[in-house]
Amino acid sequence: MAKVLDLPKLQPFTLGETSTISQRWRKWIKSFEYYIAASGINDKKQQRAILLHLAGPEVQDIFETLEDTGNDLDTAIAKLTSYFEPQKNIPFERHNFRQTTQLQGETIEQLAIRLKHQVKFCEYGNPNDMIRDQIIEHCSSSRLRRRLLREPELTLEKTVEIGRRSNIVCYCCGNAGHRAKDPRCPAEGMSCNKCHKLGHFARVCRQLKPTNKPEFQNPTSKNKNEIYKQNTGSHGEIRYVYGAPHPATGKSLSDDEYVFELGATGKMPHATVQIGNFPVDLIVDSGATVNVLDNEIFAKIKANSPITLSKTNLKLFPYGSSTPLSIQEHENFHPIQNTCNGDNLFMQTLVTKYPQVFNGIGKFKDLQLHLHFDESVPPVAQAPRRIPFHIRKAVQTKLDELETLGIIEPVKGPSPWVSPLVAVPKPNGDIRVCVDMRQANSAIIRERHPIPTIEETLQELQGATVFSKLDLRSGYHQIELHPESRPITTFATQKGLYQYTRLMFGVSSAPEVYQHIIQQILQGLPGVRNISDDIIVFGKTKDEHDQNLNNVIQRLQESGLTLNKDKCLFGVSNLTFFGHEVSASGVSPDTKKVEAIREARVPTNAAEVRSFLGLATYCSRFIPNFATVADPLRLLTRKSTPWQWNSIHQNAFDTLKNLLTGNTVMAHYDPSAPTHLRVDASP
C-alpha cells in the first residue's frame, strides 16, 4: 500500500548549463536516494513514479523520448544517467579542480573535502595524488608547503595529517591559514586599538593592561616608524606619524611628515588655546612633530586676527600615499587643504585582503547567459555608419582594448544580424563605443524581472548608521554571453565585423537580467541592497557594517566579479545613492539636483516645462504639496493647452524652487512606529 509522505520535497532538476549537467545530476540523484530511504517506500514502481514527479517537467520530457525505460526505479535512473553522462565536460571539471585554492579561514581538512567532491567528475587515474598535489600547490601557507615537500613518500592521508597538526593561526590577526608577517595578513600595517602598536589587532593583543595614551618618544630616537593616535574629546581623533619612510623611496626624510587621520571621535584631555583672537581646542602635549589645522578652523582664526603665512618646503603625506598634501605654513601650524580620513586605510585593507575583487574586469563564474529570441522576426543586416576621420584612430584603439579584454571578438563567417556602431566622444577626450540595437531588440524577448525602485531600497536602511557604496567595474561586461546569443550583437566597423562575448548596453533585456543576476549573487546576505551595478552596504553599528561588507566582498570574489576601486566608498556616515543623500538621520535630495532646480531658467515652451517638472518630480517627496503647487505648470504640458506663460505659472515655478531646500531630511520609514495617513483632494 502506498504511503503518504510528510517530507520536504526536492527542488526539480533544471537542465541549465550543459557543461555541469552531469555533476549536478549525480548530486540530485544522491539527494533523491536519501529522500527515498527516509520515506520508507520500497515499491520500485512507486519509487520510479516519485523520481519522475520530483525531477520536474524538463526531465519528464527527456524521459518520454528514451527507449526501454522499464517499470522500476533502477532502470529509470540508469537511462537518465546514460543520457546526462555524455554531456559532462571533463576539461571544464578539471579546470575547476585546478582553480581550487584554500579559502580564508579554511583548514587543510576542509580543503581536502572540497577537492574530493570535485575530483569525482574529473576522471583522473589516481585522484588521491591529484588532491595531494593540489593541496601542496594552493595551500595558503608557504611554510606548510615547504614542510610537505620535504616528505619523501607523501600520501593524501599524510598530507591532511600534517596540515591538521600545523593548524596555523596567525597571532597578529587571529585568522587561520597563514602565519604572522604574511603579506596577506589583514593586520599588516594596522594599529592596535589597545596598545597602539603596529602589526596586530586588539583581539589578539598580548598586553595585560590597555594604555590610556601612547608612550611618546623623542622624535630624534631611532624608533621613527611608529604610528600613534590620541583622541581630542568631542573634537575628533588625531593620528600622527614620526618621520615614517617615504612610500616612493623607502627613505626617511627629516623634512617629510605623514598625516594619518583627522576627524574621528574619542575622549582624551584637551585644552583651549587662543590663536590670535580665536579659541581653538588642542590636545594636551600630543608629542607630534607637526601640528595640523584644517582650512575651516584656520579660516575662522584668520577672520578674527590678521595672519600672514610664509612658504614652506615641508611635505605632509597621507598615510599610505606617495602624493603630498597641499599645505601652507604659519609658524608651527600647517593648514591642510585636503585632509585625509580612515576611508583610505580601510579601503587599502580590503584591497590587500581581496586583491582579485579590485583587479581588472571580472567574469561571473559558471554562467553563460542565454538571450531569448522571437524566431518569427527576420534578421536585419544594417549598413555601417561612417565614423568621422578625426576619431577613427581612437575608436580602433578602444575596439582593440575591448578585444584584448575578451569583451568583443571578430566575427567568423556570415552573420544574419548586423547593427551600426556609434562612437560618442567623452569630455575627457576618451571614446565610448555603442551599438544601435533598436532593430535587433525587436527580436529579443525580455524576461521582465522586476527592478527595485529607489524607495524600496531606501526603506531597508532604517536604523543604519554606517554605509558603504560599491560600484561593479563595467558591470554588464562581467556577464558572459552564450555563444548562441552572440551573433545578434554583431556590429560593423571600418575594419570588419565584431560581436560581443559579454552582456552589453543597448540590449533591451539587459537591465532586468543583470539586476536579477546580482540579486541572486547577494541573496541571503544581510545589510546589502543593489540597483543595477550600484551596491549599498549598511549596518546599525560599525562592527555590523564591517561584517556585512566583508561578507559582500567575499561573495563577489567567490563569484568572480570585480569592483571599481575609484568609485567605491567605505565606512562613511553619509553618501549619495541614486540621487539621494543617505545618512542615519534619513534621506535628503542630492545637493547637485537641488542646485540644478534652483538655477533652472524660466521655460520658454512646453518641452522645457516638461523637462523642469521631470527634474522636480524626482525630488517631489521632499516638496510639500508638490502636486498642488505644480498643477499650473502641468496644465501647460497638455497638447490642448496653448502656450501662454503668465504670473500664475511664474509663481508656481518660483514656489517649487523655493520649497526644495538642501537641508530637507525625510526620516527612514519605521514599520514598528505608529503610522498616520493624511489625504486631500489635490489634483
Side-chain angles (χ1 to χ4, degrees):
M1 180 178 178
K3 297 182 180 181
V4 179
L5 302 180
D6 190 20
L7 297 172
K9 290 186 178 181
L10 296 178
Q11 292 295 324
F13 183 77
T14 55
L15 301 183
E17 177 57 46
T18 57
S19 61
T20 62
I21 194 169
S22 174
Q23 178 181 351
R24 291 186 290 107
W25 172 253
R26 286 179 178 272
K27 289 183 178 180
W28 192 91
I29 284 296
K30 180 61 67 176
S31 298
F32 174 77
E33 290 173 351
Y34 292 144
Y35 180 88
I36 288 296
S39 68
I41 297 177
N42 298 319
D43 184 78
K44 294 294 184 180
K45 291 185 177 180
Q46 188 178 0
Q47 291 177 351
R48 178 179 181 272
I50 294 174
L51 167 71
L52 297 176
H53 172 70
L54 295 179
E58 292 184 345
V59 176
Q60 293 169 11
D61 292 341
I62 293 173
F63 188 78
E64 294 298 329
T65 65
L66 302 179
E67 298 179 355
D68 301 327
T69 55
N71 296 318
D72 62 307
L73 175 66
D74 296 337
T75 305
I77 292 179
K79 285 292 182 180
L80 287 170
T81 301
S82 64
Y83 175 84
F84 291 126
E85 280 293 335
Q87 300 186 41
K88 63 184 178 183
N89 189 334
I90 300 302
F92 176 81
E93 300 296 344
R94 292 182 177 180
H95 170 75
N96 279 347
F97 177 82
R98 290 192 296 269
Q99 295 298 313
T100 303
T101 60
Q102 187 177 9
L103 302 177
Q104 182 75 22
E106 185 179 41
T107 65
I108 294 298
E109 288 179 290
Q110 294 169 334
L111 174 60
I113 292 173
R114 279 204 299 133
L115 291 171
K116 287 179 180 179
H117 284 296
Q118 292 180 334
V119 81
K120 293 178 182 178
F121 310 100
C122 297
E123 297 188 359
Y124 286 126
N126 194 334
N128 283 351
D129 287 352
M130 299 303 298
I131 296 173
R132 176 202 61 195
D133 295 346
Q134 190 72 8
I135 292 175
I136 295 174
E137 182 67 23
H138 293 288
C139 65
S140 58
S141 170
S142 57
R143 186 185 297 268
L144 175 60
R145 183 179 301 110
R146 291 193 297 269
R147 170 72 177 83
L148 294 172
L149 291 174
R150 288 198 298 266
E151 292 292 327
E153 297 181 1
L154 185 64
T155 63
L156 175 59
E157 291 76 13
K158 195 171 183 179
T159 300
V160 175
E161 179 61 28
I162 294 174
R164 184 186 299 113
R165 292 200 305 266
S166 60
N167 187 15
I168 302 170
V169 177
C170 175
Y171 62 78
C172 291
C173 67
N175 295 333
H178 66 271
R179 292 187 179 274
K181 309 307 178 184
D182 193 303
R184 294 169 299 175
C185 177
E188 184 74 14
M190 300 293 289
S191 176
C192 173
N193 290 333
K194 184 178 179 182
C195 70
H196 308 290
K197 294 183 180 179
L198 283 180
H200 65 273
F201 291 146
R203 67 170 181 255
V204 294
C205 184
R206 299 181 179 182
Q207 184 163 312
L208 297 179
K209 295 182 179 180
T211 57
N212 294 325
K213 60 181 180 179
E215 182 178 322
F216 301 123
Q217 301 182 15
N218 190 319
T220 60
S221 65
K222 295 181 180 180
N223 187 14
K224 292 187 177 181
N225 198 23
E226 294 288 339
I227 298 178
Y228 297 107
K229 70 174 185 179
Q230 275 203 358
N231 298 321
T232 60
S234 61
H235 299 270
E237 179 180 85
I238 299 179
R239 306 192 183 201
Y240 42 88
V241 180
Y242 284 127
H246 192 291
T249 65
K251 298 179 180 180
S252 179
L253 303 177
S254 59
D255 58 345
D256 291 355
E257 301 290 350
Y258 280 71
V259 177
F260 182 173
E261 179 177 350
L262 298 176
T265 60
K267 296 180 180 179
M268 281 295 289
H270 62 278
T272 301
V273 178
Q274 289 288 130
I275 303 179
N277 298 321
F278 186 80
V280 180
D281 282 344
L282 299 177
I283 193 170
V284 176
D285 189 17
S286 68
T289 57
V290 292
N291 299 295
V292 179
L293 296 176
D294 59 31
N295 267 347
E296 182 180 356
I297 294 178
F298 180 74
K300 294 178 180 178
I301 297 173
K302 191 174 181 180
N304 286 272
S305 58
I307 294 179
T308 302
L309 298 179
S310 57
K311 295 184 178 180
T312 178
N313 294 323
L314 183 70
K315 296 179 182 179
L316 293 182
F317 293 88
Y319 182 76
S321 173
S322 58
T323 303
L325 297 170
S326 177
I327 66 171
Q328 298 169 311
E329 182 181 75
H330 175 67
E331 295 182 355
N332 292 327
F333 287 94
H334 309 283
I336 295 181
Q337 294 185 3
N338 52 329
T339 58
C340 59
N341 54 42
D343 178 55
N344 183 38
L345 181 60
F346 189 22
M347 181 180 68
Q348 192 61 41
T349 303
L350 292 173
V351 172
T352 303
K353 188 175 182 181
Y354 301 102
Q356 298 176 2
V357 178
F358 298 94
N359 183 26
I361 298 177
K363 183 173 71 172
F364 183 38
K365 298 178 180 177
D366 303 329
L367 174 69
Q368 287 187 326
L369 179 64
H370 281 270
L371 300 178
H372 302 282
F373 307 114
D374 184 353
E375 301 296 341
S376 65
V377 177
V380 178
Q382 302 179 69
R385 296 178 186 172
R386 302 304 173 188
I387 303 297
F389 286 100
H390 70 284
I391 64 172
R392 284 192 177 186
K393 185 176 180 180
V395 170
Q396 189 57 46
T397 301
K398 176 60 69 174
L399 294 175
D400 292 341
E401 176 187 340
L402 293 175
E403 184 177 1
T404 302
L405 293 172
I407 296 173
I408 62 173
E409 62 184 6
V411 174
K412 299 178 181 179
S415 177
W417 288 98
V418 180
S419 299
L421 178 71
V422 180
V424 181
K426 294 183 180 180
N428 61 2
D430 197 5
I431 294 291
R432 177 185 288 112
V433 293
C434 311
V435 179
D436 186 350
M437 291 285 292
R438 284 176 293 182
Q439 289 284 354
N441 281 333
S442 63
I444 296 177
I445 302 175
R446 295 179 57 183
E447 298 188 17
R448 306 294 179 181
H449 293 295
I451 298 177
T453 63
I454 184 64
E455 288 77 12
E456 293 172 336
T457 302
L458 294 180
Q459 72 177 6
E460 301 291 335
L461 306 183
Q462 196 275 327
T465 61
V466 186
F467 307 90
S468 288
K469 183 170 67 173
L470 309 179
D471 181 80
L472 290 165
R473 183 185 294 274
S474 303
Y476 284 6
H477 291 344
Q478 299 195 45
I479 307 300
E480 186 177 14
L481 288 175
H482 192 277
E484 295 177 357
S485 299
R486 297 175 185 176
I488 201 170
T489 68
T490 301
F491 60 95
T493 73
Q494 64 265 25
K495 290 195 174 182
L497 299 180
Y498 289 86
Q499 65 184 14
Y500 274 84
T501 64
R502 310 281 184 93
L503 188 62
M504 54 178 284
F505 285 99
V507 175
S508 59
S509 62
E512 58 224 36
V513 171
Y514 184 76
Q515 173 68 28
H516 180 67
I517 291 173
I518 302 302
Q519 278 185 333
Q520 294 298 309
I521 292 173
L522 301 177
Q523 189 172 13
L525 296 180
V528 57
R529 292 293 182 271
N530 82 287
I531 299 180
S532 190
D533 58 352
D534 286 329
I535 302 172
I536 184 170
V537 184
F538 51 91
K540 294 183 179 180
T541 64
K542 185 179 184 302
D543 290 341
E544 179 182 308
H545 161 271
D546 292 352
Q547 182 62 47
N548 293 342
L549 180 61
N550 185 79
N551 293 339
V552 170
I553 296 185
Q554 183 175 349
R555 181 72 62 85
L556 294 177
Q557 179 167 281
E558 293 170 355
S559 303
L561 302 183
T562 58
L563 296 172
N564 186 343
K565 181 175 60 176
D566 297 333
K567 293 186 178 181
C568 293
L569 284 175
F570 299 105
V572 296
S573 58
N574 59 81
L575 52 76
T576 301
F577 187 74
F578 270 81
H580 293 76
E581 296 284 346
V582 180
S583 67
S585 302
V587 183
S588 58
D590 185 1
T591 53
K592 293 182 180 179
K593 292 188 178 296
V594 173
E595 288 302 317
I597 293 175
R598 286 179 173 175
E599 296 176 2
R601 61 185 179 88
V602 177
T604 58
N605 52 54
E608 292 182 359
V609 173
R610 194 175 292 111
S611 176
F612 173 77
L613 286 177
L615 183 60
T617 301
Y618 194 84
C619 303
S620 61
R621 63 189 299 185
F622 306 104
I623 303 177
N625 304 316
F626 174 79
T628 301
V629 176
D631 186 56
L633 298 178
R634 201 176 301 279
L635 291 175
L636 279 178
T637 62
R638 296 179 180 176
K639 292 183 178 180
S640 59
T641 303
W643 173 258
Q644 184 177 3
W645 186 268
N646 55 38
S647 59
I648 298 176
H649 305 115
Q650 184 66 44
N651 181 62
F653 180 74
D654 294 336
T655 302
L656 280 180
K657 294 203 296 182
N658 293 332
L659 286 175
L660 183 61
T661 60
N663 57 3
T664 302
V665 178
M666 182 174 291
H668 296 296
Y669 176 68
D670 185 358
S672 63
T675 301
H676 300 276
L677 180 63
R678 292 184 180 182
V679 297
D680 58 20
S682 297

